[in-house]
């Protein structure tokens, strides 16, 4: 498809002056820079979800189609280029739009999760604070896989539905719950 015309009949041109721009819109590709810390978790064929700043309330799907074998060093940071193909584009998606890309590197089902902001370190162990019988109790847990928001609980005295204190302070008044938890 011709997407741009830079010259018109009668224009003076010189060698190297673009005349037309041709784009293949049947395959929309997105290049993503992935840090060296995460690159070994990325593989061709992994599923991807994408959102666009210009398209509200819609999530698109894609797939990793290429992972560079050589990284690029920019200001001492090594990044690798990963190419993602959008698999369900519609007319709202335009070339050049900014996309937020989430690559699914591992998918877990039927696991217990805790919000990362509820987890604290205490004496070398991970703990969450649970509200039980009107008092706050520290529960030691072992974490597994994690995302930006949640972590898998592999071990610990937690059950689905436990009331976990989010953003707990570093110390609690032992006479009752923290000041931001209401007693009923």
């Amino acid at each position: 498809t011709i997407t741009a015309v830079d010259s018109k009949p009668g224009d003076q041109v010189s060698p190297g002056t673009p005349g037309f721009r041709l784009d293949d819109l049947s395959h929309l590709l997105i290049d993503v820079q992935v840090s060296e810390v995460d690159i070994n978790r990325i593989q061709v064929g992994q599923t991807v979800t994408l959102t666009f700043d210009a398209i509200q309330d819609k999530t698109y799907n894609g797939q990793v189609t290429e992972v560079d074998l050589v990284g690029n060093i920019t200001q001492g940071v090594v990044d690798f280029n990963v190419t993602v193909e959008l698999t369900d584009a519609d007319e709202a998606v335009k070339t050049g739009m900014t996309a937020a890309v989430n690559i699914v590197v591992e998918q877990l089902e039927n696991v217990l999760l805790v919000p990362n902001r509820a987890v604290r370190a205490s004496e070398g162990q991970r703990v969450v604070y649970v509200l039980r019988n009107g008092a706050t109790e520290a529960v030691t847990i072992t974490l597994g896989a994690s995302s930006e928001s949640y972590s898998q609980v592999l071990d610990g005295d937690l059950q689905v539905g436990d009331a976990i204190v989010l953003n707990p302070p570093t110390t609690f008044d032992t006479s009752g719950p923290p000041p931001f938890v209401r007693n009923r």
Side-chain angles (χ1 to χ4, degrees), residues 4 8 12 24 29 33 38 55-56 58 62 82 87-89 97 100 106 118 126 129 151 153 157 163-164 166 173-174:
K8 296 183 180 35
Q12 274 194 325
D24 178 4
L29 304 176
Q33 299 301 311
D38 297 316
I55 306 169
Q56 298 296 315
K58 186 156 186 187
V82 173
T87 56
D88 60 354
M97 284 183 165
E106 185 177 11
R126 299 288 184 198
Y129 294 92
S151 292
V153 177
D157 183 23
I164 295 175
L166 298 177
D173 178 359
T174 56

Side-chain angles (χ1 to χ4, degrees), residues 4 16 30-31 48 57 64 78-79 81 83 92 105 113 121 135:
I30 297 149
D31 288 331
V48 177
D57 302 323
V64 174
V78 180
D79 286 324
N81 192 54
T83 303
V105 295
L113 300 176

Side-chain angles (χ1 to χ4, degrees), residues 34 74 94 131:
V34 176
T74 307
K94 310 283 189 246
L131 188 59

Side-chain angles (χ1 to χ4, degrees), residues 58-174:
K58 186 156 186 187
T59 300
Y60 293 87
N61 298 296
Q63 187 173 39
V64 174
T65 58
E66 187 177 338
V67 179
D68 280 1
L69 299 176
V70 178
N72 303 307
I73 301 173
T74 307
Q75 298 180 346
V77 177
V78 180
D79 286 324
F80 290 79
N81 192 54
V82 173
T83 303
V84 170
E85 181 175 0
L86 192 59
T87 56
D88 60 354
D90 56 24
E91 66 281 348
V93 179
K94 310 283 189 246
T95 58
M97 284 183 165
T98 302
V101 178
N102 290 303
I103 301 172
V104 179
V105 295
E106 185 177 11
Q107 194 162 342
L108 303 172
E109 294 181 12
N110 299 319
V111 295
L112 183 62
L113 300 176
V114 293
N116 291 338
R117 61 188 175 145
V119 179
R120 292 292 181 264
S122 175
E123 299 177 7
Q125 296 182 321
R126 299 288 184 198
V127 298
V128 291
Y129 294 92
V130 180
L131 188 59
R132 292 183 178 154
N133 301 321
T136 304
E137 177 183 328
V139 175
T140 302
I141 58 174
T142 303
L143 299 178
S146 64
S147 69
E148 290 180 0
S149 304
Y150 292 93
S151 292
Q152 175 189 13
V153 177
L154 297 175
D155 190 28
D157 183 23
L158 280 182
Q159 302 294 324
V160 173
D162 279 346
I164 295 175
V165 178
L166 298 177
N167 296 322
T170 53
T171 59
F172 284 106
D173 178 359
T174 56

